[in-house]
């Protein structure tokens, strides 16, 4: 039932504050200021390498997690799309943890990769939204997202719930590796707890996004730029736009622009820049200025502070709440989802059932 929403996708985008809160509830103890994973008789402190495998949007959640695992826990992370993983004959060290991320828990390539890793003696962890799925059953450690059934083919709420679980996992790993003091853990938990309200604040800008979506509709190509953990969010923004509006879009690490894609820039190629305030803001903005100097039309997605500093001369700006860099990827998922949604609605495409796509891809 879509309730009062025109599409399942829009309903699911708006459910994010609630389902992320629900998901966090099973991974944090707010009063103790600690994260807590299900017990599974495997010592996270012994982990020296994590291998992450997933497809599509779930893969982008994994890319964000790579930044977190390495930054907080100082554990090296390998990450692959599932269709590449087995065929490159990955080196899986004894005692390693392999982590599979999947909304459905049934994606054929990801499941085959899981079985391969298992046969190589890896400990298997999964982040899945369907607790009865094949991946859930075959895992040693099942970390459920509590997004509820996701009907829209484009993944939205499952993705932000995956990020919530992965942030908790990264924090737990960091603690068990002795990389976090109790106070630092408390602080991270407090920031995670701010995510649902920040998602609400982000959703409050839906009208602004609907009002500027017409600027993107005529484009044949769109570029999304971001840095650090917001680089995977640029990839996700481009994927959402491609799959439901059929506009060709690419996500790039902001610093890679000048190594090629900047040749595409003219006033017909909108460039959407994800630049939350934080340690990477100035660098991202200087890449944005390189685009502007070549006549590029920019949509800046940032907070009030960032927009005040760099918004001048942009074709449009989308304001997000001011958040800690840790939860920025969750919050910035909202505007990229909503922008794809409103562009698709204006173009009249089938938002919930995009052409050629299936909700669960069960062939390799
Ligand atoms: C994009 C999308 C797909 C899925 C991918 C993996 O919006 O929905 O890219 O993320 O097919 O599916 P799961 O997570 O079920 O393994």
């Amino acid at each position: 039932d879509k309730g009062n929403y025109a599409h399942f996708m829009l309903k699911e985008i708006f459910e994010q504050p609630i389902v992320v809160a629900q998901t966090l509830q099973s991974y944090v103890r707010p009063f103790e200021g600690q994260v807590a994973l299900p017990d599974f008789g495997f010592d996270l402190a012994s982990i020296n390498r994590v291998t992450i495998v997933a497809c599509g949007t779930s893969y982008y959640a994994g890319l964000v997690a790579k930044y977190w695992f390495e930054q907080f826990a100082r554990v090296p992370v390998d990450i692959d799309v599932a269709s590449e993983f087995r065929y490159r004959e990955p080196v899986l060290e004894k005692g390693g943890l392999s982590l599979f991320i999947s909304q459905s828990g049934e994606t054929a390539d990801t499941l085959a990769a899981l079985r391969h890793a298992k046969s190589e003696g890896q400990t298997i962890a999964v982040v899945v939204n369907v607790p009865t799925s094949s991946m859930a059953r075959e895992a040693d450690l099942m970390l459920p997202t509590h997004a509820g059934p996701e009907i829209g083919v484009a993944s939205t709420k499952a993705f932000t719930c995956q990020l919530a679980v992965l942030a908790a996992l990264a924090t737990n790993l960091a603690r068990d590796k002795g990389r976090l003091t109790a106070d630092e853990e408390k602080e991270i938990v407090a920031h995670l707890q701010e995510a649902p309200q920040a998602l609400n604040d982000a959703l409050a800008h839906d009208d602004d996004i609907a009002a500027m979506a017409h600027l993107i509709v005529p484009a044949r190509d769109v570029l999304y730029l971001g840095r650090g953990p917001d680089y995977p969010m640029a990839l996700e923004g481009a994927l959402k736009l491609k799959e439901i509006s059929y506009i060709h879009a690419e996500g790039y690490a902001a610093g890679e622009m000048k190594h090629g894609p900047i040749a595409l820039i003219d006033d017909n190629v909108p460039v959407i820049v994800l630049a939350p305030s934080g340690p990477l803001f100035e660098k991202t903005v200087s890449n944005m200025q390189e685009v502007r100097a070549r006549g590029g039309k920019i949509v800046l997605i940032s907070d009030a502070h960032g927009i005040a500093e760099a918004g001048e001369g942009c074709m449009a700006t989308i304001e997000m709440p001011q958040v800690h860099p840790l939860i920025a990827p969750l919050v910035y998922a909202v505007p990229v989802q909503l922008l794809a949604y409103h562009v698709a609605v204006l173009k009249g495409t089938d938002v919930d059932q995009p052409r050629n796509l299936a909700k669960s891809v069960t062939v390799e």
Side-chain angles (χ1 to χ4, degrees):
D1 181 17
K2 297 194 283 254
N4 292 326
Y5 293 96
H7 297 96
F8 281 107
M9 183 182 178
L10 190 63
K11 173 172 178 264
E12 291 164 358
I13 291 172
F14 272 85
E15 280 171 3
Q16 290 177 112
I18 291 177
V19 294
V20 165
Q22 252 165 36
T23 299
L24 283 171
Q25 245 171 45
S26 36
Y27 293 93
V28 300
R29 298 202 188 101
F31 299 112
E32 290 89 338
Q34 287 180 339
V35 293
L37 298 183
D39 227 357
F40 78 119
F42 182 79
D43 180 13
L44 287 180
S46 69
I47 293 173
N48 290 320
R49 176 171 292 277
V50 176
T51 302
I52 302 179
V53 182
C55 299
T57 288
S58 296
Y59 170 72
Y60 297 147
L63 277 180
V64 175
K66 174 182 164 79
Y67 285 87
W68 290 337
F69 290 176
E70 295 192 336
Q71 189 185 341
F72 299 136
R74 310 302 301 155
V75 172
V77 174
D78 280 328
I79 175 160
D80 277 286
V81 289
S83 54
E84 288 296 317
F85 177 68
R86 277 174 303 155
Y87 307 108
R88 74 174 173 87
E89 298 177 39
V91 180
L92 298 170
E93 286 168 42
K94 274 251 154 321
L97 182 78
S98 291
L99 173 62
F100 301 84
I101 307 166
S102 176
Q103 187 283 128
S104 60
E106 300 295 347
T107 301
D109 278 312
T110 311
L111 184 58
L114 182 157
R115 288 174 179 158
H116 175 75
K118 200 172 195 175
S119 75
E120 297 274 303
Q122 295 279 293
T123 298
I124 307 296
V126 296
V127 175
V128 288
N129 195 42
V130 181
T132 52
S133 58
S134 304
M135 286 180 219
R137 277 182 276 120
E138 296 184 28
D140 301 305
L141 172 62
M142 202 260 280
L143 301 168
T145 48
H146 300 294
E150 193 178 62
I151 311 291
V153 163
S155 186
T156 54
K157 62 177 182 169
F159 174 67
T160 39
C161 288
Q162 287 166 347
L163 291 177
V165 171
L166 292 164
L169 177 59
T171 309
N172 199 306
L173 187 60
R175 181 187 66 206
D176 292 358
K177 301 280 297 175
R179 293 278 177 185
L180 280 187
T181 65
D183 281 348
E184 287 167 334
E185 184 176 357
K186 258 201 189 99
E187 205 184 307
I188 291 180
V189 167
H191 291 308
L192 287 177
Q193 294 285 98
E194 288 159 10
Q197 184 55 47
L199 289 166
N200 259 320
D201 296 344
L203 287 165
H205 291 272
D206 181 41
D207 289 344
D208 312 338
I209 297 170
M212 55 69 69
H214 69 96
L215 295 170
I216 305 298
V217 171
R220 201 189 61 178
D221 308 286
V222 171
L223 291 175
Y224 259 101
L225 303 182
R227 262 183 191 261
D230 301 302
Y231 159 49
M233 300 312 297
L235 298 172
E236 169 62 2
L239 178 61
K240 286 284 98 87
L241 195 62
K242 275 186 272 215
E243 68 180 332
I244 65 166
S245 79
Y246 313 148
I247 294 175
H248 171 242
E250 294 299 329
Y252 263 93
E256 271 292 290
M257 266 307 280
K258 53 173 143 333
H259 300 287
I262 202 159
L264 291 172
I265 298 301
D266 64 22
D267 57 9
N268 296 318
V269 182
V271 179
I272 305 174
V273 180
L274 303 176
S277 287
L280 303 172
F281 178 79
E282 298 298 337
K283 282 262 151 66
T284 308
V285 166
S286 89
N287 301 132
M288 182 181 106
Q289 308 300 15
E290 293 161 2
V291 171
R292 181 143 62 207
R294 277 133 191 113
K297 291 256 165 69
I298 292 158
V299 176
L300 173 63
I301 309 183
S302 184
D303 41 56
H305 182 262
I307 289 173
E309 200 172 313
E312 212 186 295
C314 292
M315 171 170 73
T317 58
I318 299 174
E319 190 183 322
M320 289 291 104
Q322 185 94 35
V323 293
H324 188 271
L326 171 69
I327 64 165
L330 281 93
V331 174
Y332 282 64
V334 169
V336 307
Q337 294 164 351
L338 286 173
L339 187 55
Y341 174 78
H342 290 296
V343 171
V345 167
L346 288 173
K347 292 195 72 176
T349 58
D350 188 344
V351 170
D352 283 334
Q353 294 269 307
R355 68 187 180 202
N356 310 338
L357 288 169
K359 184 65 188 159
S360 177
V361 181
T362 50
V363 289
E364 283 183 37

